[in-house]
Amino acid sequence: MNKSALMERAVHLALKGSFTTRENPNVGCLIYKSGMILSEGWHVAPGSNHAEVNAILNAESKFKDSTKDVLDGSSLFVTLEPCSTEKRTPPCTDLIQKYSFKEIIYMQSDPSQKGSDILKEKGFGIERLSLNNSVLNNGFFKHLAEGKPYVRAKIACSMDGKIAFKNNNEQWITTQASRKDGYSYRAISGAIITGSGTLETDNPLLNVRLEEAVNDQDFKQPLKALFTTKSYIDSNKKFFKDNSRKIIFTNNENLEMQICETLNTEIVRVESDANQISIPSVLNYLGSINIKDVLLEAGPRLISSFIDSNLIDEYIFYIAPKVLGNKANSFYTNKNLEGILNSPDLEIVEEKSIGRDLKLVLRKKNAS
């Protein structure tokens, strides 16, 4: 296997932690020598061993007293530069130095760490190997650089960009397969954002129901964030009926406080922007509580506000082969679907069919 293929394998390992690392980066690691992968590991959850440590510990478990000899002259591939500081776990550079690796090959640099410099000074070969269109750690890097989360918007719409039926007699525009695919984005998010209009119209639960996520003992339901300018919120809505943490962001001083009696719900008052909730203020607040990735699942008004503020880093479109015309509302009133898809500021990073629907993922060209 060549180096790129080995790093691709490390990326595959990193993604095994997608639903559980949450505020931590997804990291995968493998140890390679003489045409064989000797050991593998990945980071599972905050506070647990890092990927490099798990790969080395797995090698120790496998090779017992022969571990040092077996790993002598091997190559350690890791998707993120090894950490050099102690937080909840010791620095990975300490354990790496106990073995005679020929080289440490990493994919992503971590500006908060000096692992590559430390290991290079200790005589290890160091190489950075980048892969195009890496799907790893956009939220981690944006939060590191700006203190704010990476924003994904999930939009299920028709070919003419319609998102919600006006009479609400029909609830779904796209197929069940598309909806299931979309649930994975909830599972990788630290928070899900919606608005009070969606709460009233659709009465969504907005939780994660993917079996592979909820059956994992390290998985936690994401925070649910509600935008409202109203003075009353019905606490009997499904949104409030689970144990996940919930925050209501409002600029209305008269919002009834009885909502706080609902399980695990708090009210956060934020600044106004033209009588609307300041989205940057909300994103700054979420960043301050260590939320790295958010998913926007909302109606046209809130989606349009995010678009107009240029605060969406990634769009996930599920487009049904339908034209709904005047039967439904557009997801964005200031520009049609084609205008968004052809924006010079966005690039298509994924395009595939899901049943009869088309999935398109577009990312800001300067996104983390």
Side-chain angles (χ1 to χ4, degrees):
M1 297 177 72
N2 61 36
K3 288 184 176 181
S4 293
L6 289 164
M7 190 62 78
E8 289 280 7
R9 173 60 187 170
V11 170
H12 175 77
L13 294 170
L15 292 173
K16 290 178 177 286
S18 294
F19 300 150
T20 53
T21 54
R22 199 56 59 86
E23 68 265 26
N24 278 11
N26 295 317
V27 186
C29 180
L30 63 85
I31 301 170
Y32 180 81
K33 181 181 177 181
S34 301
M36 293 180 58
I37 294 176
L38 302 177
S39 183
E40 298 179 331
W42 62 92
H43 180 50
V44 176
S48 69
N49 291 333
H50 289 187
E52 305 94 312
V53 173
N54 280 331
I56 292 172
L57 292 180
N58 288 338
E60 290 177 345
S61 176
K62 181 178 180 180
F63 299 113
K64 310 297 183 183
D65 294 339
S66 301
T67 303
K68 281 189 177 293
D69 291 334
V70 173
L71 299 191
D72 186 21
S74 63
S75 299
L76 186 144
F77 287 77
V78 62
T79 57
L80 183 66
E81 178 180 0
C83 69
S84 56
T85 58
E86 181 166 359
K87 293 183 179 178
R88 284 183 282 189
T89 57
C92 293
T93 50
D94 286 359
L95 183 58
I96 290 172
Q97 290 178 61
K98 294 181 179 179
Y99 290 91
S100 300
F101 293 106
K102 179 180 70 175
E103 56 188 351
I104 312 298
I105 302 171
Y106 67 96
M107 184 178 72
Q108 296 176 317
S109 295
D110 185 346
S112 69
Q113 304 294 319
K114 298 187 180 298
S116 60
D117 291 338
I118 289 172
L119 293 170
K120 187 174 182 179
E121 289 176 0
K122 297 294 183 180
F124 292 91
I126 300 294
E127 179 183 348
R128 184 180 177 193
L129 177 63
S130 297
L131 298 179
N132 293 330
N133 294 324
S134 171
V135 296
L136 291 181
N137 304 323
N138 290 317
F140 172 78
F141 285 113
K142 182 174 182 183
H143 189 272
L144 199 61
E146 303 178 26
K148 293 181 288 189
Y150 185 85
V151 179
R152 294 179 178 90
K154 182 166 73 71
I155 300 169
C157 65
S158 61
M159 293 174 64
D160 54 344
K162 300 304 175 72
I163 188 176
F165 290 98
K166 291 180 179 179
N167 61 17
N168 208 37
N169 289 334
E170 298 180 75
Q171 188 175 9
W172 306 116
I173 292 175
T174 54
T175 63
Q176 184 178 2
S178 289
R179 295 195 296 275
K180 183 177 180 181
D181 186 84
Y183 290 155
S184 65
Y185 291 98
R186 291 183 184 178
I188 67 173
S189 300
I192 302 169
I193 294 176
T194 196
S196 54
T198 298
L199 199 71
E200 292 299 321
T201 303
D202 297 339
N203 192 21
L205 185 56
L206 277 186
N207 67 350
V208 176
R209 297 187 283 276
L210 280 180
E211 289 186 6
E212 56 264 44
V214 298
N215 290 339
D216 191 315
Q217 63 180 1
D218 294 301
F219 176 76
K220 295 180 181 179
Q221 288 285 345
L223 178 152
K224 295 193 287 192
L226 177 68
F227 280 47
T228 186
T229 59
K230 297 180 178 180
S231 57
Y232 175 76
I233 293 294
D234 183 359
S235 60
N236 290 314
K237 293 292 185 180
K238 292 179 182 178
F239 182 89
F240 299 104
K241 298 303 180 182
D242 65 7
N243 293 329
S244 64
R245 182 183 179 186
K246 293 164 281 288
I247 299 178
I248 301 173
F249 291 100
T250 184
N251 59 357
N252 191 329
E253 294 292 335
N254 297 317
L255 179 64
E256 294 189 8
M257 297 300 292
Q258 67 191 47
I259 193 70
C260 289
E261 299 173 6
T262 303
L263 182 64
N264 212 10
T265 300
E266 60 186 295
I267 293 175
V268 173
R269 303 193 188 281
V270 294
E271 301 173 7
S272 292
D273 184 0
N275 296 320
Q276 299 301 313
I277 292 170
S278 169
I279 299 174
S281 295
V282 171
L283 294 179
N284 286 334
Y285 182 90
L286 292 173
S288 73
I289 59 173
N290 215 22
I291 299 295
K292 307 289 176 66
D293 296 87
V294 302
L295 180 65
L296 176 63
E297 290 196 51
R301 185 174 181 180
L302 188 53
I303 289 174
S304 295
S305 294
F306 269 81
I307 294 174
D308 289 339
S309 301
N310 194 29
L311 291 172
I312 297 175
D313 299 299
E314 182 175 305
Y315 293 84
I316 303 108
F317 284 103
Y318 296 94
I319 304 172
K322 305 174 182 177
V323 175
L324 299 180
N326 293 328
K327 291 195 301 182
N329 296 315
S330 297
F331 77 89
Y332 182 44
T333 56
N334 294 341
K335 190 181 291 185
N336 60 26
L337 175 61
E338 185 177 357
I340 295 288
L341 297 182
N342 293 328
S343 169
D345 299 323
L346 299 171
E347 59 181 342
I348 296 176
V349 296
E350 183 181 350
E351 180 176 0
K352 71 176 184 179
S353 296
I354 301 180
R356 58 182 174 80
D357 296 335
L358 173 66
K359 178 184 179 182
L360 287 176
V361 180
L362 293 89
R363 187 180 300 157
K364 272 185 182 178
K365 290 182 178 178
N366 62 346
S368 299

